Amino acid sequence: MSVTFVLARAENGVIGVDGKLPWHLPADLSHFKALTMGHAMVMGRKTFESFPAPLPGRRHIVLTRDPHWQAAGAEVVHDPATALRIAGAHVAVIGGAEIFALFLPHADAIELTEVHAAPAGDAIVPPFTGWREVSREDHAAEGERPAYSFVRLER
């Protein structure tokens, strides 16, 4: 089994504000789609609820403490071990911050969009220390959109 984190993170660690991304980067959304298409995605309930509808072509495994929570398109689990057991050979962990912390010991790789900005936010992921950068693709700022880099990290 391989476990890959897929996320966008600002220089100050921010990954979200009020259940949304604090930036709009169409290339990052396309990158996310390419990385997750056809795979199981593990996420928390708030991340699932931030989507307007389940994302096509992907399984949505939702980890929640609420024993009664259900939603169309969600495979509900209540512990990380069950999420990993049902996910199959490759799983993309997509957030939020608590979910990343829970799955960090299981992660093999991180597909990180480094957003070169420091927006305000209420969801923070600390830097990934002890990981080796294996690739980087830098992109310049465009208008109101900040510069960003697609970075792959491995253990």
Side-chain angles (χ1 to χ4, degrees):
M1 163 177 280
S2 69
V3 177
T4 302
F5 284 11
V6 181
L7 73 150
R9 181 184 172 279
E11 292 170 346
N12 59 353
V14 167
I15 64 167
V17 61
D18 297 328
K20 299 180 181 123
L21 295 174
W23 47 75
H24 179 66
L25 294 171
D28 177 52
L29 299 175
S30 295
H31 188 64
F32 175 87
K33 181 178 181 179
L35 291 169
T36 59
M37 186 59 70
H39 298 294
M41 300 184 304
V42 172
M43 68 203 78
R45 176 190 51 81
K46 290 179 189 175
T47 297
F48 180 83
E49 291 176 344
S50 74
F51 299 143
L55 304 176
R58 291 154 273 198
R59 288 176 59 203
H60 297 70
I61 300 171
V62 180
L63 181 60
T64 178
R65 290 182 283 264
D66 183 344
H68 305 291
W69 186 85
Q70 295 180 348
E75 297 176 56
V76 180
V77 297
H78 303 289
D79 61 83
T82 302
L84 291 173
R85 183 174 47 75
I86 70 169
H90 179 77
V91 60
V93 176
I94 66 166
E98 290 181 46
I99 301 301
F100 289 126
L102 282 172
F103 284 89
L104 188 59
H106 305 283
D108 305 303
I110 300 169
E111 294 287 353
L112 175 64
T113 300
E114 288 182 346
V115 179
H116 303 298
D122 54 16
I124 308 289
V125 170
F128 296 105
T129 56
W131 291 78
R132 178 175 51 93
E133 184 176 311
V134 296
S135 66
R136 174 179 291 270
E137 182 183 314
D138 296 322
H139 299 270
E142 293 180 21
E144 297 292 312
R145 295 185 179 128
Y148 59 95
S149 302
F150 294 139
V151 181
R152 180 174 173 86
L153 305 170
E154 296 179 353
R155 287 220 186 255

